[in-house]
Amino acid sequence: KSTRNRELVLSIQLIPFGDEQKLLISRDITQLERVETMRRDFVANVSHELSTPLTVVGGFLETLVDMEHLDETQTRHYLNLMFDQTNRMQHLVKDLLMLSKLESTHTAHREEKVDVPHLLQDLLKDALSLSSGRHRLRLNLASERWLLGNEDELRSAFGNLVSNAIRYTPDGGEIVLQWEEWEEEGVFSVQDSGVGIEPQHIPRLTERFYRVDRSRSRETGGTGLGLAIAKHALTRHQARLEIESTPGKGSTFSACFPARRLIAGEASN
Ligand code: ADP
């Protein structure tokens, strides 16, 4: 018999030993080691992500303290740079808290009827403000059904897919948000005409802090946690994340929900 959970693999075997039988209890530590390595990598990544903006802020503060004659324009310049770095740290901490909430099996996962058309209209508004006229944005609602789920978690998962589409699509590109209903599932997808992703990276994109292009991710305000958050939020809804991409042409990220989660909208009840 063996019991298996995330951290421990324990097997108990009865083995013949002469006329008797002996009980052998063994513990497979490969799983334990894997978990420990992941934990260590995660702590190293978080420390690194926080130490960079902290060093920058520290440097600017030192300059402000040491310089005797700073005019107002210079002071404002340094304060603005520090403000950007502080925003970056706040964003990272917010994503870390969200991720830890989603990963915890103890966090309550309340479900309600989520008005999908309304949620997508909200996401489109956010997208319009994030893009500030740099992209053509479209919303296709091929179904008026609602979803049984947690609105905050869905908003966060879908929001990350939409903001990624904007951040990885050059100016002038097109982004389509779509909600469709098939026999087996309801699908929310975000299609962009952006930079695309080489196939070897796709299986790793939902790992925490995995980025194809570090500098582009940072420049556009990425924390490296958006897809990990989306994946966890979707898993809590028994939904899967599908990624299709053609380098240089664009990508489509789809969240596929089982049909049993689709319900009639309140208006049509
Ligand atoms: P980040 O904050 O770096 O965007 P994510 O977890 O949201 O972190 O995404 C992980 C990586 O996946 C990104 O760094 C980027 O390389 C790639 N990626 C995500 N969405 C897209 C997209 N729509 N187009 C191209 N690459 C993407």
Side-chain angles (χ1 to χ4, degrees), residues 43-55:
V43 173
N45 275 321
V46 172
S47 315
H48 176 73
E49 296 290 332
L50 281 172
S51 86
T52 317
L54 267 176
T55 310

Side-chain angles (χ1 to χ4, degrees), residues 164-165 167-168 192 195-197 205 210-213 217 222-228 251 253:
N164 279 353
R167 293 170 39 236
Y168 296 103
D192 66 53
V195 294
I197 306 153
L205 294 183
Y210 187 86
R211 289 141 156 158
V212 176
D213 177 347
S217 160
T223 60
L225 296 173
L227 290 180
S251 317
F253 285 73

Side-chain angles (χ1 to χ4, degrees), residues 102 109-112 114 147-155 157 230-240 256-258 260-261:
L102 290 170
H109 169 77
R110 265 191 318 103
E111 295 203 340
E112 61 217 324
V114 179
L147 249 186
L148 195 61
N150 181 291
E151 182 155 352
D152 289 343
E153 291 174 17
L154 293 174
R155 198 178 276 275
K231 173 78 189 298
H232 274 90
L234 294 177
T235 305
R236 278 162 85 99
H237 290 81
Q238 297 80 44
R240 49 174 218 290
C256 313
F257 295 84
R260 65 190 140 85
R261 286 200 165 267

Side-chain angles (χ1 to χ4, degrees), residues 10-49:
L10 190 68
S11 37
I12 303 169
Q13 280 174 286
L14 267 179
I15 43 171
F17 196 78
D19 292 341
E20 298 172 10
Q21 288 201 315
K22 295 243 172 195
L23 197 62
L24 177 76
I25 300 179
S26 59
R27 189 168 160 179
D28 177 356
I29 61 159
T30 42
Q31 180 84 348
L32 270 177
E33 274 171 5
R34 213 164 60 85
V35 172
E36 180 52 23
T37 309
M38 276 168 59
R39 194 195 60 79
R40 229 182 294 125
D41 287 352
F42 181 62
V43 173
N45 275 321
V46 172
S47 315
H48 176 73
E49 296 290 332

Side-chain angles (χ1 to χ4, degrees), residues 91 95 160-169 190-192 194-197 201 204-214 216-218 220-230 243 245 250-253:
H91 195 171
D95 274 4
N160 276 315
L161 302 184
V162 175
S163 71
N164 279 353
I166 292 173
R167 293 170 39 236
Y168 296 103
T169 301
V190 185
Q191 189 187 351
D192 66 53
V195 294
I197 306 153
H201 296 290
R204 300 199 58 193
L205 294 183
T206 56
E207 288 175 22
R208 299 177 290 192
F209 297 116
Y210 187 86
R211 289 141 156 158
V212 176
D213 177 347
R214 267 175 194 276
R216 184 179 183 114
S217 160
R218 291 224 178 84
T220 56
T223 60
L225 296 173
L227 290 180
I229 289 175
I243 307 171
S245 189
S251 317
T252 304
F253 285 73

Side-chain angles (χ1 to χ4, degrees), residues 69-76:
H69 307 293
L70 268 177
D71 64 33
E72 199 184 323
T73 324
Q74 279 175 311
T75 314
R76 197 145 288 284

Side-chain angles (χ1 to χ4, degrees), residues 39-216:
R39 194 195 60 79
R40 229 182 294 125
D41 287 352
F42 181 62
V43 173
N45 275 321
V46 172
S47 315
H48 176 73
E49 296 290 332
L50 281 172
S51 86
T52 317
L54 267 176
T55 310
V56 177
V57 171
F60 290 140
L61 277 175
E62 203 177 331
T63 313
L64 286 176
V65 172
D66 288 350
M67 299 262 285
E68 281 178 10
H69 307 293
L70 268 177
D71 64 33
E72 199 184 323
T73 324
Q74 279 175 311
T75 314
R76 197 145 288 284
H77 174 70
Y78 285 122
L79 289 176
N80 275 329
L81 292 173
M82 285 193 281
F83 186 60
D84 289 346
Q85 297 300 324
T86 318
N87 271 344
R88 186 172 147 190
M89 285 187 276
Q90 274 173 342
H91 195 171
L92 176 64
V93 171
K94 191 172 131 264
D95 274 4
L96 283 168
L97 287 173
M98 182 72 189
L99 193 60
S100 101
K101 198 172 114 194
L102 290 170
E103 280 181 335
S104 157
T105 45
H106 303 298
T107 319
H109 169 77
R110 265 191 318 103
E111 295 203 340
E112 61 217 324
K113 290 178 179 177
V114 179
D115 181 344
V116 178
H118 183 255
L119 174 61
L120 297 200
Q121 297 285 356
D122 273 1
L123 285 174
L124 181 67
K125 268 190 232 150
D126 296 345
L128 285 166
S129 111
L130 199 62
S131 154
S132 42
R134 289 176 295 126
H135 307 94
R136 279 168 293 139
L137 290 162
R138 262 195 308 132
L139 170 61
N140 248 347
L141 275 172
S143 157
E144 289 290 309
R145 302 277 291 238
W146 289 20
L147 249 186
L148 195 61
N150 181 291
E151 182 155 352
D152 289 343
E153 291 174 17
L154 293 174
R155 198 178 276 275
S156 170
F158 294 179
N160 276 315
L161 302 184
V162 175
S163 71
N164 279 353
I166 292 173
R167 293 170 39 236
Y168 296 103
T169 301
D171 293 359
E174 185 172 37
I175 293 157
V176 184
L177 318 189
Q178 179 149 299
W179 174 241
E180 295 165 287
E181 190 189 322
W182 305 96
E183 199 165 309
E184 305 273 297
E185 54 193 12
V187 181
F188 168 70
S189 60
V190 185
Q191 189 187 351
D192 66 53
S193 61
V195 294
I197 306 153
E198 297 283 344
Q200 70 273 21
H201 296 290
I202 291 183
R204 300 199 58 193
L205 294 183
T206 56
E207 288 175 22
R208 299 177 290 192
F209 297 116
Y210 187 86
R211 289 141 156 158
V212 176
D213 177 347
R214 267 175 194 276
S215 59
R216 184 179 183 114

